[in-house]
Amino acid sequence: MRSRMNDPMRRWKLSQMDLESLARWEDYSRCKDEMFVHTDIPEAPWYVVESDDKRSARVNMIAHLLSTIPYQDVRPQRLSLAARPDSRGYTRMLKELQTEVPDHAATL
């Protein structure tokens, strides 16, 4: 959370609720554990993803999710890219006539 507080590109991800949640972390965890006890059933199991390393967590979750879906290998159809047709006189609109979004990222 500290890194989010000081990073202008990620600050929007942090709210007062997030800061308050630190004081309630054990209560939230206790409630989650209790919920699992009552709702984790063979017909609808909960899956827990270790997420200290976010990149690994994403890869592990995607791999697990895909492993639950039956599929067969499908060979893609062979495609060929035709030559682009000759121009028929199109000229792009002048940028000065368009309303552009300012490049705020360049100022950070």
Side-chain angles (χ1 to χ4, degrees):
M1 287 193 195
R2 279 191 197 0
S3 67
R4 286 187 179 179
M5 289 176 74
N6 300 320
D7 183 347
M9 295 294 280
R10 295 174 46 202
R11 192 176 309 138
W12 67 270
K13 294 182 176 183
L14 193 60
S15 70
Q16 187 62 37
M17 176 84 66
D18 295 316
L19 301 177
E20 288 179 29
S21 73
L22 287 175
R24 301 169 195 244
W25 189 256
E26 281 190 26
D27 293 334
Y28 291 155
S29 296
R30 206 172 279 114
C31 289
K32 177 204 62 142
D33 293 344
E34 185 69 17
M35 178 190 67
F36 276 22
V37 166
H38 296 288
T39 62
D40 186 20
I41 60 175
E43 298 82 8
W46 282 98
Y47 292 99
V48 178
V49 181
E50 184 60 46
S51 60
D52 291 339
D53 177 345
K54 300 301 181 197
R55 184 172 188 268
S56 293
R58 286 186 196 102
V59 169
N60 292 337
M61 186 62 236
I62 291 168
H64 168 74
L65 183 62
L66 290 175
S67 76
T68 67
I69 302 169
Y71 68 95
Q72 60 185 3
D73 192 22
V74 177
R75 299 283 175 207
Q77 181 181 11
R78 191 169 194 103
L79 303 174
S80 61
L81 186 60
R84 179 180 275 188
D86 292 336
S87 172
R88 293 178 296 179
Y90 169 76
T91 304
R92 186 172 183 178
M93 178 190 296
L94 294 173
K95 285 190 174 187
E96 293 80 22
L97 300 176
Q98 298 174 342
T99 305
E100 192 172 345
V101 173
D103 187 4
H104 290 287
T107 66
L108 302 176

